[in-house]
Short mmCIF file of all heavy atoms in Angstrom, two decimals:
data_model
loop_
_atom_site.label_atom_id
_atom_site.label_comp_id
_atom_site.label_asym_id
_atom_site.label_seq_id
_atom_site.Cartn_x
_atom_site.Cartn_y
_atom_site.Cartn_z
N MET A 324 38.16 15.09 -5.25
CA MET A 324 37.39 15.23 -4.02
C MET A 324 35.96 15.64 -4.32
O MET A 324 35.02 15.12 -3.73
CB MET A 324 38.10 16.25 -3.13
CG MET A 324 37.41 16.46 -1.81
SD MET A 324 37.56 15.02 -0.75
CE MET A 324 37.06 15.65 0.77
N LYS A 325 35.80 16.61 -5.23
CA LYS A 325 34.46 17.07 -5.58
C LYS A 325 33.63 15.96 -6.18
O LYS A 325 32.44 15.82 -5.90
CB LYS A 325 34.59 18.24 -6.52
CG LYS A 325 33.26 18.92 -6.82
CD LYS A 325 33.45 20.17 -7.69
CE LYS A 325 32.11 20.84 -7.91
NZ LYS A 325 32.25 22.04 -8.72
N LYS A 326 34.26 15.12 -7.00
CA LYS A 326 33.57 14.00 -7.62
C LYS A 326 33.11 13.00 -6.54
O LYS A 326 32.03 12.43 -6.64
CB LYS A 326 34.47 13.30 -8.65
CG LYS A 326 33.82 12.27 -9.47
CD LYS A 326 34.76 11.76 -10.54
CE LYS A 326 34.04 10.82 -11.46
NZ LYS A 326 34.89 10.32 -12.54
N HIS A 327 33.90 12.81 -5.54
CA HIS A 327 33.58 11.90 -4.44
C HIS A 327 32.35 12.40 -3.66
O HIS A 327 31.48 11.63 -3.29
CB HIS A 327 34.80 11.79 -3.51
CG HIS A 327 34.93 10.46 -2.87
ND1 HIS A 327 33.97 9.98 -2.02
CD2 HIS A 327 35.90 9.52 -2.92
CE1 HIS A 327 34.35 8.78 -1.60
NE2 HIS A 327 35.53 8.49 -2.13
N ILE A 328 32.33 13.71 -3.42
CA ILE A 328 31.21 14.31 -2.70
C ILE A 328 29.94 14.20 -3.52
O ILE A 328 28.89 13.85 -2.99
CB ILE A 328 31.52 15.78 -2.33
CG1 ILE A 328 32.63 15.83 -1.27
CG2 ILE A 328 30.26 16.49 -1.83
CD1 ILE A 328 33.15 17.21 -0.99
N ASN A 329 30.01 14.46 -4.82
CA ASN A 329 28.84 14.34 -5.68
C ASN A 329 28.30 12.92 -5.70
O ASN A 329 27.09 12.69 -5.70
CB ASN A 329 29.18 14.81 -7.11
CG ASN A 329 29.30 16.30 -7.23
OD1 ASN A 329 28.85 17.04 -6.35
ND2 ASN A 329 29.94 16.78 -8.30
N SER A 330 29.19 11.94 -5.72
CA SER A 330 28.78 10.55 -5.69
C SER A 330 28.08 10.22 -4.39
O SER A 330 27.05 9.54 -4.37
CB SER A 330 29.98 9.61 -5.86
OG SER A 330 30.55 9.77 -7.13
N ALA A 331 28.57 10.72 -3.29
CA ALA A 331 27.98 10.48 -2.00
C ALA A 331 26.61 11.13 -1.92
O ALA A 331 25.64 10.56 -1.40
CB ALA A 331 28.89 11.02 -0.87
N LEU A 332 26.47 12.31 -2.47
CA LEU A 332 25.17 12.99 -2.49
C LEU A 332 24.16 12.20 -3.35
O LEU A 332 22.98 12.10 -2.98
CB LEU A 332 25.32 14.43 -3.02
CG LEU A 332 25.97 15.41 -2.06
CD1 LEU A 332 26.21 16.74 -2.76
CD2 LEU A 332 25.13 15.60 -0.83
N LEU A 333 24.61 11.70 -4.46
CA LEU A 333 23.73 10.92 -5.34
C LEU A 333 23.22 9.66 -4.62
O LEU A 333 22.03 9.37 -4.65
CB LEU A 333 24.45 10.53 -6.61
CG LEU A 333 23.67 9.66 -7.61
CD1 LEU A 333 22.43 10.40 -8.09
CD2 LEU A 333 24.54 9.29 -8.77
N VAL A 334 24.11 8.95 -3.96
CA VAL A 334 23.73 7.73 -3.25
C VAL A 334 22.74 8.09 -2.12
O VAL A 334 21.74 7.39 -1.95
CB VAL A 334 24.98 7.03 -2.68
CG1 VAL A 334 24.60 5.92 -1.71
CG2 VAL A 334 25.81 6.46 -3.82
N THR A 335 23.01 9.15 -1.39
CA THR A 335 22.10 9.57 -0.31
C THR A 335 20.75 9.96 -0.87
O THR A 335 19.70 9.57 -0.33
CB THR A 335 22.73 10.75 0.44
OG1 THR A 335 23.97 10.38 0.96
CG2 THR A 335 21.82 11.20 1.59
N SER A 336 20.71 10.67 -2.00
CA SER A 336 19.44 11.08 -2.61
C SER A 336 18.62 9.85 -3.05
O SER A 336 17.43 9.80 -2.83
CB SER A 336 19.69 11.96 -3.82
OG SER A 336 20.33 13.15 -3.42
N ILE A 337 19.28 8.89 -3.63
CA ILE A 337 18.58 7.68 -4.08
C ILE A 337 17.99 6.94 -2.86
O ILE A 337 16.86 6.47 -2.90
CB ILE A 337 19.53 6.77 -4.89
CG1 ILE A 337 19.86 7.42 -6.24
CG2 ILE A 337 18.94 5.37 -5.09
CD1 ILE A 337 20.95 6.76 -7.00
N ALA A 338 18.76 6.86 -1.79
CA ALA A 338 18.28 6.16 -0.58
C ALA A 338 17.06 6.89 0.00
O ALA A 338 16.09 6.27 0.40
CB ALA A 338 19.38 6.11 0.45
N LEU A 339 17.09 8.21 0.00
CA LEU A 339 15.97 8.99 0.51
C LEU A 339 14.73 8.82 -0.34
O LEU A 339 13.62 8.69 0.17
CB LEU A 339 16.34 10.45 0.64
CG LEU A 339 17.33 10.81 1.76
CD1 LEU A 339 17.74 12.27 1.67
CD2 LEU A 339 16.70 10.53 3.11
N VAL A 340 14.88 8.84 -1.63
CA VAL A 340 13.75 8.67 -2.54
C VAL A 340 13.14 7.28 -2.34
O VAL A 340 11.92 7.14 -2.27
CB VAL A 340 14.15 8.90 -4.01
CG1 VAL A 340 13.10 8.45 -4.97
CG2 VAL A 340 14.49 10.37 -4.24
N GLY A 341 13.96 6.27 -2.26
CA GLY A 341 13.49 4.89 -2.05
C GLY A 341 12.69 4.77 -0.77
O GLY A 341 11.64 4.18 -0.71
N SER A 342 13.20 5.36 0.32
CA SER A 342 12.48 5.28 1.59
C SER A 342 11.19 6.09 1.55
O SER A 342 10.21 5.72 2.17
CB SER A 342 13.37 5.71 2.75
OG SER A 342 13.69 7.08 2.64
N SER A 343 11.17 7.15 0.79
CA SER A 343 9.95 7.96 0.65
C SER A 343 8.86 7.15 -0.05
O SER A 343 7.71 7.20 0.31
CB SER A 343 10.22 9.25 -0.15
OG SER A 343 11.09 10.06 0.58
N PHE A 344 9.24 6.43 -1.11
CA PHE A 344 8.25 5.61 -1.81
C PHE A 344 7.71 4.52 -0.92
O PHE A 344 6.53 4.23 -0.91
CB PHE A 344 8.84 4.98 -3.09
CG PHE A 344 8.92 5.96 -4.24
CD1 PHE A 344 10.10 6.20 -4.86
CD2 PHE A 344 7.78 6.63 -4.67
CE1 PHE A 344 10.17 7.10 -5.93
CE2 PHE A 344 7.86 7.52 -5.73
CZ PHE A 344 9.05 7.76 -6.37
N SER A 345 8.58 3.95 -0.11
CA SER A 345 8.14 2.91 0.82
C SER A 345 7.16 3.49 1.83
O SER A 345 6.15 2.90 2.14
CB SER A 345 9.37 2.33 1.54
OG SER A 345 8.97 1.38 2.47
N ALA A 346 7.46 4.66 2.35
CA ALA A 346 6.55 5.31 3.32
C ALA A 346 5.22 5.66 2.66
O ALA A 346 4.17 5.50 3.24
CB ALA A 346 7.22 6.54 3.88
N LEU A 347 5.27 6.09 1.40
CA LEU A 347 4.06 6.40 0.68
C LEU A 347 3.20 5.17 0.50
O LEU A 347 1.98 5.22 0.73
CB LEU A 347 4.37 7.01 -0.67
CG LEU A 347 3.21 7.36 -1.57
CD1 LEU A 347 2.30 8.39 -0.89
CD2 LEU A 347 3.68 7.89 -2.90
N ALA A 348 3.78 4.05 0.16
CA ALA A 348 3.03 2.80 -0.01
C ALA A 348 2.37 2.39 1.30
O ALA A 348 1.23 1.97 1.32
CB ALA A 348 3.93 1.70 -0.53
N THR A 349 3.09 2.51 2.39
CA THR A 349 2.53 2.14 3.69
C THR A 349 1.38 3.07 4.06
O THR A 349 0.33 2.62 4.49
CB THR A 349 3.63 2.20 4.80
OG1 THR A 349 4.65 1.31 4.45
CG2 THR A 349 3.05 1.82 6.16
N THR A 350 1.57 4.37 3.86
CA THR A 350 0.49 5.31 4.17
C THR A 350 -0.74 5.01 3.32
O THR A 350 -1.85 4.98 3.83
CB THR A 350 1.00 6.75 3.87
OG1 THR A 350 2.11 7.02 4.67
CG2 THR A 350 -0.09 7.76 4.18
N THR A 351 -0.55 4.74 2.05
CA THR A 351 -1.67 4.45 1.16
C THR A 351 -2.37 3.18 1.62
O THR A 351 -3.59 3.14 1.69
CB THR A 351 -1.21 4.33 -0.29
OG1 THR A 351 -0.54 5.54 -0.66
CG2 THR A 351 -2.35 4.11 -1.24
N PHE A 352 -1.63 2.14 1.96
CA PHE A 352 -2.22 0.90 2.43
C PHE A 352 -3.06 1.19 3.66
O PHE A 352 -4.21 0.75 3.77
CB PHE A 352 -1.16 -0.15 2.75
CG PHE A 352 -1.73 -1.47 3.22
CD1 PHE A 352 -2.05 -2.46 2.31
CD2 PHE A 352 -1.98 -1.70 4.56
CE1 PHE A 352 -2.61 -3.66 2.72
CE2 PHE A 352 -2.54 -2.88 4.99
CZ PHE A 352 -2.86 -3.87 4.06
N GLU A 353 -2.52 1.93 4.59
CA GLU A 353 -3.24 2.26 5.81
C GLU A 353 -4.47 3.08 5.52
O GLU A 353 -5.49 2.92 6.21
CB GLU A 353 -2.31 3.03 6.78
CG GLU A 353 -1.08 2.24 7.21
CD GLU A 353 -1.39 0.92 7.91
OE1 GLU A 353 -2.41 0.83 8.56
OE2 GLU A 353 -0.59 0.00 7.77
N GLN A 354 -4.43 3.93 4.53
CA GLN A 354 -5.60 4.74 4.19
C GLN A 354 -6.73 3.86 3.64
O GLN A 354 -7.91 4.11 3.93
CB GLN A 354 -5.27 5.80 3.15
CG GLN A 354 -4.43 6.92 3.74
CD GLN A 354 -3.92 7.89 2.68
OE1 GLN A 354 -3.86 7.56 1.50
NE2 GLN A 354 -3.52 9.05 3.09
N PHE A 355 -6.39 2.82 2.87
CA PHE A 355 -7.41 1.91 2.34
C PHE A 355 -7.93 0.96 3.41
O PHE A 355 -9.10 0.58 3.39
CB PHE A 355 -6.87 1.10 1.17
CG PHE A 355 -6.77 1.87 -0.11
CD1 PHE A 355 -5.54 2.10 -0.71
CD2 PHE A 355 -7.92 2.37 -0.73
CE1 PHE A 355 -5.46 2.79 -1.90
CE2 PHE A 355 -7.83 3.06 -1.93
CZ PHE A 355 -6.60 3.28 -2.51
N ASP A 356 -7.07 0.56 4.32
CA ASP A 356 -7.43 -0.39 5.37
C ASP A 356 -8.21 0.33 6.47
O ASP A 356 -7.71 0.58 7.57
CB ASP A 356 -6.20 -1.07 5.93
CG ASP A 356 -6.48 -2.11 7.00
OD1 ASP A 356 -7.63 -2.57 7.09
OD2 ASP A 356 -5.57 -2.44 7.76
N LYS A 357 -9.43 0.69 6.19
CA LYS A 357 -10.23 1.55 7.07
C LYS A 357 -10.50 0.92 8.45
O LYS A 357 -10.55 1.60 9.45
CB LYS A 357 -11.60 1.90 6.41
CG LYS A 357 -11.45 2.73 5.18
CD LYS A 357 -10.92 4.09 5.49
CE LYS A 357 -10.91 4.98 4.26
NZ LYS A 357 -10.27 6.24 4.48
N ASP A 358 -10.69 -0.42 8.49
CA ASP A 358 -10.97 -1.05 9.78
C ASP A 358 -9.71 -1.44 10.55
O ASP A 358 -9.78 -1.94 11.66
CB ASP A 358 -11.91 -2.25 9.63
CG ASP A 358 -11.33 -3.38 8.77
OD1 ASP A 358 -10.13 -3.34 8.39
OD2 ASP A 358 -12.08 -4.32 8.48
N GLY A 359 -8.54 -1.23 9.94
CA GLY A 359 -7.26 -1.47 10.61
C GLY A 359 -6.94 -2.92 10.91
O GLY A 359 -6.15 -3.20 11.79
N ASN A 360 -7.52 -3.86 10.13
CA ASN A 360 -7.27 -5.29 10.39
C ASN A 360 -6.03 -5.83 9.67
O ASN A 360 -5.76 -7.02 9.75
CB ASN A 360 -8.51 -6.12 10.06
CG ASN A 360 -8.76 -6.22 8.56
OD1 ASN A 360 -8.22 -5.43 7.78
ND2 ASN A 360 -9.60 -7.16 8.16
N GLY A 361 -5.31 -4.98 8.96
CA GLY A 361 -4.10 -5.41 8.29
C GLY A 361 -4.30 -5.93 6.89
O GLY A 361 -3.37 -6.48 6.29
N SER A 362 -5.51 -5.80 6.36
CA SER A 362 -5.76 -6.20 4.97
C SER A 362 -6.83 -5.27 4.38
O SER A 362 -7.54 -4.57 5.13
CB SER A 362 -6.23 -7.65 4.90
OG SER A 362 -7.43 -7.81 5.58
N ILE A 363 -6.90 -5.24 3.07
CA ILE A 363 -7.88 -4.42 2.36
C ILE A 363 -8.93 -5.31 1.77
O ILE A 363 -8.63 -6.19 0.96
CB ILE A 363 -7.20 -3.60 1.25
CG1 ILE A 363 -6.11 -2.68 1.84
CG2 ILE A 363 -8.21 -2.78 0.47
CD1 ILE A 363 -5.24 -2.01 0.80
N SER A 364 -10.16 -5.11 2.20
CA SER A 364 -11.27 -5.91 1.70
C SER A 364 -11.74 -5.36 0.34
O SER A 364 -11.36 -4.26 -0.06
CB SER A 364 -12.45 -5.86 2.68
OG SER A 364 -12.99 -4.54 2.71
N LYS A 365 -12.54 -6.13 -0.34
CA LYS A 365 -13.11 -5.66 -1.62
C LYS A 365 -13.94 -4.40 -1.40
O LYS A 365 -13.88 -3.47 -2.19
CB LYS A 365 -13.99 -6.79 -2.22
CG LYS A 365 -14.62 -6.44 -3.53
CD LYS A 365 -13.61 -6.37 -4.66
CE LYS A 365 -14.30 -6.21 -6.01
NZ LYS A 365 -13.44 -5.68 -7.03
N THR A 366 -14.66 -4.34 -0.29
CA THR A 366 -15.45 -3.13 0.03
C THR A 366 -14.55 -1.93 0.21
O THR A 366 -14.82 -0.86 -0.30
CB THR A 366 -16.28 -3.36 1.30
OG1 THR A 366 -17.14 -4.49 1.09
CG2 THR A 366 -17.12 -2.17 1.67
N GLU A 367 -13.44 -2.10 0.94
CA GLU A 367 -12.49 -1.00 1.15
C GLU A 367 -11.83 -0.61 -0.17
O GLU A 367 -11.57 0.58 -0.41
CB GLU A 367 -11.42 -1.38 2.17
CG GLU A 367 -11.99 -1.54 3.59
CD GLU A 367 -11.05 -2.20 4.54
OE1 GLU A 367 -10.27 -3.10 4.14
OE2 GLU A 367 -11.10 -1.83 5.74
N ALA A 368 -11.57 -1.55 -1.04
CA ALA A 368 -10.91 -1.27 -2.32
C ALA A 368 -11.79 -0.43 -3.25
O ALA A 368 -11.30 0.27 -4.11
CB ALA A 368 -10.51 -2.56 -3.01
N ARG A 369 -13.10 -0.50 -3.05
CA ARG A 369 -14.03 0.25 -3.91
C ARG A 369 -13.83 1.76 -3.79
O ARG A 369 -14.33 2.52 -4.63
CB ARG A 369 -15.46 -0.12 -3.60
CG ARG A 369 -15.82 -1.51 -4.07
CD ARG A 369 -17.30 -1.82 -3.88
NE ARG A 369 -17.54 -3.23 -4.16
CZ ARG A 369 -18.13 -4.08 -3.38
NH1 ARG A 369 -18.61 -3.70 -2.22
NH2 ARG A 369 -18.28 -5.35 -3.74
N ALA A 370 -13.12 2.21 -2.79
CA ALA A 370 -12.85 3.64 -2.60
C ALA A 370 -12.00 4.20 -3.74
O ALA A 370 -11.98 5.41 -3.98
CB ALA A 370 -12.16 3.88 -1.26
N ASP A 371 -11.29 3.33 -4.46
CA ASP A 371 -10.43 3.74 -5.56
C ASP A 371 -10.77 2.90 -6.78
O ASP A 371 -10.54 1.69 -6.74
CB ASP A 371 -8.96 3.60 -5.18
CG ASP A 371 -8.03 4.14 -6.25
OD1 ASP A 371 -8.04 3.60 -7.38
OD2 ASP A 371 -7.26 5.05 -5.94
N PRO A 372 -11.28 3.50 -7.86
CA PRO A 372 -11.66 2.72 -9.03
C PRO A 372 -10.52 1.88 -9.62
O PRO A 372 -10.73 0.75 -10.06
CB PRO A 372 -12.14 3.78 -10.03
CG PRO A 372 -12.48 4.97 -9.22
CD PRO A 372 -11.61 4.91 -8.02
N ARG A 373 -9.30 2.42 -9.56
CA ARG A 373 -8.16 1.65 -10.11
C ARG A 373 -7.86 0.42 -9.24
O ARG A 373 -7.61 -0.66 -9.79
CB ARG A 373 -6.92 2.56 -10.20
CG ARG A 373 -7.10 3.71 -11.18
CD ARG A 373 -6.02 4.74 -11.02
NE ARG A 373 -6.17 5.26 -9.67
CZ ARG A 373 -5.36 6.12 -9.09
NH1 ARG A 373 -4.32 6.55 -9.73
NH2 ARG A 373 -5.56 6.55 -7.87
N LEU A 374 -7.89 0.58 -7.93
CA LEU A 374 -7.66 -0.54 -7.05
C LEU A 374 -8.80 -1.56 -7.20
O LEU A 374 -8.56 -2.75 -7.26
CB LEU A 374 -7.54 -0.09 -5.58
CG LEU A 374 -7.27 -1.20 -4.57
CD1 LEU A 374 -6.00 -1.97 -4.91
CD2 LEU A 374 -7.20 -0.62 -3.15
N ASN A 375 -10.00 -1.09 -7.27
CA ASN A 375 -11.16 -1.97 -7.44
C ASN A 375 -11.04 -2.77 -8.73
O ASN A 375 -11.29 -4.00 -8.72
CB ASN A 375 -12.44 -1.12 -7.46
CG ASN A 375 -13.68 -1.99 -7.40
OD1 ASN A 375 -13.81 -2.86 -6.57
ND2 ASN A 375 -14.62 -1.72 -8.31
N ASP A 376 -10.61 -2.15 -9.80
CA ASP A 376 -10.45 -2.84 -11.11
C ASP A 376 -9.35 -3.91 -11.04
O ASP A 376 -9.46 -4.94 -11.70
CB ASP A 376 -10.14 -1.85 -12.23
CG ASP A 376 -11.29 -0.96 -12.58
OD1 ASP A 376 -12.44 -1.27 -12.20
OD2 ASP A 376 -11.06 0.05 -13.27
N GLN A 377 -8.30 -3.65 -10.27
CA GLN A 377 -7.16 -4.60 -10.20
C GLN A 377 -7.29 -5.61 -9.09
O GLN A 377 -6.47 -6.54 -8.97
CB GLN A 377 -5.86 -3.81 -10.00
CG GLN A 377 -5.49 -2.91 -11.15
CD GLN A 377 -4.24 -2.13 -10.84
OE1 GLN A 377 -3.28 -2.65 -10.32
NE2 GLN A 377 -4.26 -0.85 -11.20
N PHE A 378 -8.32 -5.50 -8.26
CA PHE A 378 -8.42 -6.30 -7.04
C PHE A 378 -8.28 -7.79 -7.29
O PHE A 378 -7.50 -8.45 -6.63
CB PHE A 378 -9.77 -6.00 -6.33
CG PHE A 378 -9.83 -6.57 -4.95
CD1 PHE A 378 -9.42 -5.83 -3.85
CD2 PHE A 378 -10.32 -7.86 -4.72
CE1 PHE A 378 -9.47 -6.33 -2.58
CE2 PHE A 378 -10.35 -8.38 -3.43
CZ PHE A 378 -9.95 -7.62 -2.36
N LYS A 379 -9.04 -8.33 -8.21
CA LYS A 379 -9.02 -9.78 -8.44
C LYS A 379 -7.62 -10.24 -8.85
O LYS A 379 -7.15 -11.29 -8.37
CB LYS A 379 -10.04 -10.15 -9.52
CG LYS A 379 -10.22 -11.63 -9.68
CD LYS A 379 -11.36 -11.93 -10.64
CE LYS A 379 -11.54 -13.47 -10.76
NZ LYS A 379 -12.67 -13.79 -11.62
N LYS A 380 -6.95 -9.48 -9.69
CA LYS A 380 -5.61 -9.83 -10.11
C LYS A 380 -4.61 -9.77 -8.94
O LYS A 380 -3.72 -10.61 -8.81
CB LYS A 380 -5.14 -8.90 -11.26
CG LYS A 380 -3.75 -9.18 -11.78
CD LYS A 380 -3.36 -8.24 -12.88
CE LYS A 380 -2.81 -6.97 -12.29
NZ LYS A 380 -2.21 -6.03 -13.25
N LEU A 381 -4.76 -8.74 -8.11
CA LEU A 381 -3.85 -8.55 -6.98
C LEU A 381 -4.06 -9.59 -5.87
O LEU A 381 -3.12 -9.97 -5.16
CB LEU A 381 -4.04 -7.15 -6.39
CG LEU A 381 -3.66 -6.00 -7.31
CD1 LEU A 381 -4.13 -4.67 -6.68
CD2 LEU A 381 -2.17 -5.97 -7.54
N ASP A 382 -5.29 -10.06 -5.71
CA ASP A 382 -5.62 -11.02 -4.65
C ASP A 382 -5.10 -12.41 -5.05
O ASP A 382 -5.87 -13.32 -5.38
CB ASP A 382 -7.13 -11.03 -4.42
CG ASP A 382 -7.55 -11.93 -3.26
OD1 ASP A 382 -6.69 -12.28 -2.42
OD2 ASP A 382 -8.75 -12.25 -3.19
N SER A 383 -3.79 -12.61 -4.98
CA SER A 383 -3.17 -13.81 -5.50
C SER A 383 -3.56 -15.09 -4.78
O SER A 383 -3.58 -16.17 -5.36
CB SER A 383 -1.62 -13.66 -5.50
OG SER A 383 -1.15 -13.43 -4.19
N ASP A 384 -3.93 -14.99 -3.49
CA ASP A 384 -4.35 -16.19 -2.77
C ASP A 384 -5.87 -16.40 -2.78
O ASP A 384 -6.37 -17.37 -2.26
CB ASP A 384 -3.82 -16.21 -1.33
CG ASP A 384 -4.34 -15.07 -0.49
OD1 ASP A 384 -5.21 -14.30 -0.95
OD2 ASP A 384 -3.86 -14.94 0.67
N GLY A 385 -6.57 -15.46 -3.40
CA GLY A 385 -8.02 -15.59 -3.60
C GLY A 385 -8.85 -15.56 -2.34
O GLY A 385 -9.97 -16.06 -2.33
N ASN A 386 -8.34 -14.94 -1.26
CA ASN A 386 -9.08 -14.92 0.01
C ASN A 386 -10.05 -13.73 0.13
O ASN A 386 -10.68 -13.57 1.16
CB ASN A 386 -8.14 -14.99 1.20
CG ASN A 386 -7.33 -13.70 1.40
OD1 ASN A 386 -7.30 -12.83 0.53
ND2 ASN A 386 -6.69 -13.59 2.54
N GLY A 387 -10.12 -12.89 -0.90
CA GLY A 387 -11.04 -11.76 -0.88
C GLY A 387 -10.51 -10.54 -0.16
O GLY A 387 -11.25 -9.59 0.07
N GLU A 388 -9.23 -10.58 0.22
CA GLU A 388 -8.57 -9.46 0.88
C GLU A 388 -7.19 -9.28 0.31
O GLU A 388 -6.56 -10.23 -0.15
CB GLU A 388 -8.45 -9.70 2.38
CG GLU A 388 -9.80 -9.84 3.08
CD GLU A 388 -9.65 -10.09 4.57
OE1 GLU A 388 -8.62 -10.67 5.01
OE2 GLU A 388 -10.54 -9.68 5.29
N LEU A 389 -6.68 -8.05 0.36
CA LEU A 389 -5.32 -7.78 -0.08
C LEU A 389 -4.42 -7.61 1.13
O LEU A 389 -4.68 -6.78 2.01
CB LEU A 389 -5.28 -6.51 -0.95
CG LEU A 389 -6.07 -6.52 -2.22
CD1 LEU A 389 -5.88 -5.19 -2.95
CD2 LEU A 389 -5.70 -7.67 -3.12
N SER A 390 -3.34 -8.37 1.16
CA SER A 390 -2.31 -8.17 2.18
C SER A 390 -1.42 -7.02 1.73
O SER A 390 -1.54 -6.53 0.61
CB SER A 390 -1.44 -9.45 2.30
OG SER A 390 -0.75 -9.63 1.09
N LYS A 391 -0.52 -6.60 2.61
CA LYS A 391 0.41 -5.54 2.23
C LYS A 391 1.27 -5.99 1.04
O LYS A 391 1.58 -5.21 0.16
CB LYS A 391 1.30 -5.15 3.40
CG LYS A 391 0.60 -4.26 4.39
CD LYS A 391 1.58 -3.73 5.43
CE LYS A 391 0.83 -2.82 6.39
NZ LYS A 391 1.72 -2.16 7.35
N THR A 392 1.65 -7.26 1.02
CA THR A 392 2.45 -7.79 -0.07
C THR A 392 1.69 -7.75 -1.37
O THR A 392 2.21 -7.29 -2.40
CB THR A 392 2.89 -9.25 0.22
OG1 THR A 392 3.64 -9.24 1.44
CG2 THR A 392 3.74 -9.81 -0.92
N GLU A 393 0.44 -8.18 -1.34
CA GLU A 393 -0.38 -8.15 -2.57
C GLU A 393 -0.64 -6.74 -3.00
O GLU A 393 -0.53 -6.41 -4.18
CB GLU A 393 -1.72 -8.87 -2.31
CG GLU A 393 -1.58 -10.37 -2.14
CD GLU A 393 -2.84 -11.03 -1.64
OE1 GLU A 393 -3.61 -10.41 -0.86
OE2 GLU A 393 -3.06 -12.19 -2.03
N PHE A 394 -0.92 -5.85 -2.06
CA PHE A 394 -1.15 -4.43 -2.38
C PHE A 394 0.08 -3.79 -2.97
O PHE A 394 -0.05 -2.88 -3.81
CB PHE A 394 -1.60 -3.67 -1.12
CG PHE A 394 -1.83 -2.22 -1.38
CD1 PHE A 394 -2.98 -1.78 -1.99
CD2 PHE A 394 -0.90 -1.27 -0.98
CE1 PHE A 394 -3.20 -0.43 -2.24
CE2 PHE A 394 -1.11 0.08 -1.20
CZ PHE A 394 -2.25 0.50 -1.81
N GLY A 395 1.26 -4.28 -2.59
CA GLY A 395 2.51 -3.73 -3.10
C GLY A 395 2.63 -3.85 -4.62
O GLY A 395 3.42 -3.16 -5.24
N LYS A 396 1.84 -4.70 -5.22
CA LYS A 396 1.88 -4.87 -6.68
C LYS A 396 0.84 -4.00 -7.40
O LYS A 396 0.70 -4.05 -8.59
CB LYS A 396 1.64 -6.36 -7.02
CG LYS A 396 2.75 -7.23 -6.46
CD LYS A 396 2.47 -8.68 -6.66
CE LYS A 396 3.58 -9.48 -5.98
NZ LYS A 396 3.28 -10.89 -5.91
N PHE A 397 0.10 -3.22 -6.62
CA PHE A 397 -0.94 -2.30 -7.17
C PHE A 397 -0.30 -1.28 -8.07
O PHE A 397 0.69 -0.63 -7.70
CB PHE A 397 -1.68 -1.63 -6.03
CG PHE A 397 -2.63 -0.54 -6.44
CD1 PHE A 397 -3.54 -0.73 -7.44
CD2 PHE A 397 -2.60 0.65 -5.75
CE1 PHE A 397 -4.45 0.29 -7.79
CE2 PHE A 397 -3.50 1.68 -6.10
CZ PHE A 397 -4.42 1.49 -7.12
N GLU A 398 -0.81 -1.12 -9.26
CA GLU A 398 -0.30 -0.14 -10.24
C GLU A 398 -1.28 1.02 -10.27
O GLU A 398 -2.12 1.12 -11.15
CB GLU A 398 -0.15 -0.79 -11.58
CG GLU A 398 0.87 -1.87 -11.59
CD GLU A 398 0.91 -2.64 -12.92
OE1 GLU A 398 0.27 -2.22 -13.90
OE2 GLU A 398 1.60 -3.68 -12.94
N GLY A 399 -1.19 1.86 -9.26
CA GLY A 399 -2.11 2.97 -9.15
C GLY A 399 -1.51 4.23 -9.59
O GLY A 399 -1.96 5.22 -9.89
#
């Protein structure tokens, strides 16, 4: 029984950590998207040197903006 409870706690902890990372990514995206248009421009990306350095690589469609999907690949 104790082993069963420990397994349940482990699964719950993993789920909570995963959702926390997802929330953190959304918060960070929103922080960069200063004008609230749903994408991060090159100008907005300059706020973080790491994001600015990776911008061209992350902008997979080459439109000069990062979508949430593209930003999700940011290694910050």
Side-chain angles (χ1 to χ4, degrees):
M324 180 69 167
K325 187 175 182 179
K326 189 174 185 178
H327 211 298
I328 292 172
N329 286 342
S330 295
L332 287 173
L333 178 62
V334 169
T335 303
S336 297
I337 290 170
L339 288 173
V340 168
S342 65
S343 295
F344 281 125
S345 177
L347 178 61
T349 301
T350 301
T351 303
F352 181 89
E353 299 301 329
Q354 288 172 341
F355 283 117
D356 181 19
K357 296 293 185 187
D358 63 7
N360 70 344
S362 62
I363 300 171
S364 68
K365 180 70 172 160
T366 302
E367 291 168 326
R369 288 186 188 127
D371 185 298
R373 295 166 299 174
L374 181 58
N375 190 49
D376 290 345
Q377 295 178 42
F378 191 90
K379 188 174 182 177
K380 180 180 84 171
L381 295 170
D382 184 17
S383 59
D384 62 6
N386 70 348
E388 298 180 331
L389 299 181
S390 65
K391 283 188 178 185
T392 301
E393 290 169 328
F394 179 77
K396 297 175 185 170
F397 172 50
E398 297 173 9

